[in-house]
C-alpha cells in the first residue's frame, strides 16, 4: 500500500468513524486533551516556563524533559484514543489498521493538546500582569 493509498483510505474511513459506533469519542477525547492542555499551560505560566512548542523547538537542552512531561500529561489520552479506534475497527469488522488508529489518536488527542497549551500559557501570563 502506497502512502497516497494509506491517506486516501484513512480520509474515507474517517467519515465512517464519525457516524459509526463509539462516535462520542470524537467529542470526548478532544475535550479531555483540551482540559489537560489548559492545566499544563496554567502550570507553565505559574512556573515561568516558556510556551511548550516554543521551548520544544528552540531549547534543545530541555527537549527531552519537555517530551517526558507532555507524555505524562497526554500519554494516557493518546493511548486511549488508539485503543478505542482499534476497538471500533474490531466492532465494525474492518481490517485492523494500526497506522490509522495512531493517526486518529493523534488527531483526536495530540493536536488539540498542542494547539491549546501555548496560548493558555500566554493568556495566563498576560492576565497575571494585569492590575
Amino acid at each position: 500500500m502506497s502512502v497516497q493509498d494509506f491517506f486516501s483510505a484513512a480520509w474515507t474511513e474517517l467519515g465512517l468513524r464519525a457516524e459509526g459506533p463509539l462516535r462520542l469519542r470524537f467529542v470526548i477525547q478532544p475535550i479531555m486533551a483540551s482540559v489537560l492542555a489548559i492545566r499544563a499551560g496554567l502550570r507553565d505560566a505559574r512556573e515561568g516556563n516558556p510556551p511548550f512548542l516554543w521551548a520544544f523547538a528552540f531549547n534543545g537542552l530541555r527537549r527531552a524533559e519537555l517530551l517526558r512531561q507532555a507524555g505524562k500529561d497526554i500519554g494516557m489520552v493518546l493511548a486511549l484514543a488508539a485503543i478505542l479506534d482499534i476497538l471500533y475497527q474490531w466492532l465494525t469488522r474492518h481490517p485492523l489498521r494500526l497506522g490509522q488508529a495512531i493517526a486518529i489518536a493523534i488527531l483526536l488527542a495530540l493536536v488539540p493538546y498542542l494547539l491549546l497549551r501555548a496560548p493558555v500559557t500566554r493568556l495566563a501570563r498576560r492576565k497575571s500582569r494585569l492590575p
Side-chain angles (χ1 to χ4, degrees), residues 7-81:
F7 283 111
S8 177
W11 188 252
T12 301
E13 290 182 16
L14 181 62
L16 298 173
R17 283 175 168 86
E19 295 186 9
L22 303 174
R23 66 181 171 265
L24 189 58
R25 68 194 165 107
F26 277 83
V27 175
I28 295 192
Q29 287 172 337
I31 290 172
M32 289 171 52
S34 298
V35 167
L36 293 172
I38 290 167
R39 287 179 52 201
L42 293 174
R43 183 182 62 230
D44 288 344
R46 253 191 332 271
E47 295 174 359
N49 295 331
F52 178 77
L53 286 178
W54 182 266
F56 184 79
F58 297 109
N59 191 348
L61 299 174
R62 292 193 56 214
R63 196 167 289 141
E65 174 192 344
L66 291 169
L67 274 176
R68 275 192 301 278
Q69 182 185 45
K72 283 195 278 187
D73 288 345
I74 196 72
M76 185 60 73
V77 175
L78 197 58
L80 182 63

Side-chain angles (χ1 to χ4, degrees), residues 114-130:
L114 292 175
L115 289 177
L116 279 175
R117 185 172 174 176
V120 167
T121 302
R122 287 188 184 102
L123 286 172
R125 279 195 189 149
R126 188 172 296 149
K127 187 174 180 176
S128 68
R129 290 183 196 152
L130 295 176

